[in-house]
Amino acid sequence: MSGPLLRVVLFEPEKAGNVGNVARTCAVLGADLHLIRPFGFHLHDREFRRAVMDYMQGVTLHEHANWSAFQRALPEEARVWAFSTHATTLHTRAGFRRGDYLLLGPESRGLPTWLREGLPTLKLPQPGGGRSLNLAVAAGVAAFEAGRQIEGW
């Protein structure tokens, strides 16, 4: 099939290292990476370059000025899945399809309520309690589960 397996979307990411690691995950999976401004760093930061290493050449990167610009760029048939600790549906029950968008929020606050309200929202299990997962880890767990559902690994 043509097109990327997935599209990982980071809304207002704050940490260069996390974004670099998410980019590496995208490269390994054949997923596109969408970044929605504002960022808490510059794409030329040393920390970003160190985290992404040479994986960026394998990633199709899309930058969006804000949430509205991202929405305008979406194809009509796009399926956007929001990830939040506030959701009640586990990510394993989503029924992902090729080309889906997996949306994750900034490290310090997650996705805002106003954004989550209009989207199907999923959560990653956290049976040990505590705080939420690191952004790069959460994106990896979500993307690999979506890939497993789509490709049947």
Side-chain angles (χ1 to χ4, degrees):
M1 258 194 192
S2 64
L5 177 68
L6 296 166
R7 294 164 173 102
V8 177
V9 183
L10 303 181
F11 176 79
E12 300 182 357
E14 299 164 337
K15 307 276 186 209
N18 282 335
V19 176
N21 285 313
V22 172
R24 289 173 68 172
T25 297
C26 288
V28 168
L29 287 175
D32 284 3
L33 177 58
H34 291 254
L35 301 178
I36 301 173
R37 291 188 178 276
F39 309 153
F41 63 95
H42 296 284
L43 290 176
H44 300 291
D45 280 357
R46 183 175 44 144
E47 185 180 353
F48 176 75
R49 288 193 320 268
R50 183 174 45 239
V52 78
M53 295 172 31
D54 63 346
Y55 286 78
M56 208 59 206
Q57 62 196 10
V59 177
T60 301
L61 176 65
H62 305 269
E63 294 181 57
H64 305 277
N66 52 41
W67 177 249
S68 295
F70 170 72
Q71 286 184 301
R72 286 191 303 274
L74 286 173
E76 190 174 312
E77 69 282 356
R79 293 186 347 148
V80 179
W81 299 91
F83 284 79
S84 172
T85 58
H86 301 287
T88 56
T89 303
L90 285 175
H91 72 301
T92 53
R93 302 193 183 277
F96 295 110
R97 294 192 305 234
R98 179 173 282 278
D100 279 356
Y101 292 78
L102 311 181
L103 173 65
L104 296 101
E107 293 89 332
S108 66
R109 61 191 186 279
L111 292 171
T113 303
W114 63 263
L115 194 152
R116 291 191 321 264
E117 288 176 343
L119 298 171
T121 306
L122 306 170
K123 72 175 183 174
L124 302 176
Q126 294 181 199
R131 298 172 60 195
S132 54
L133 290 169
N134 169 280
L135 175 64
V137 172
V141 170
F144 272 88
E145 171 59 20
R148 185 195 66 79
Q149 287 184 24
I150 296 163
E151 295 293 322
W153 304 324

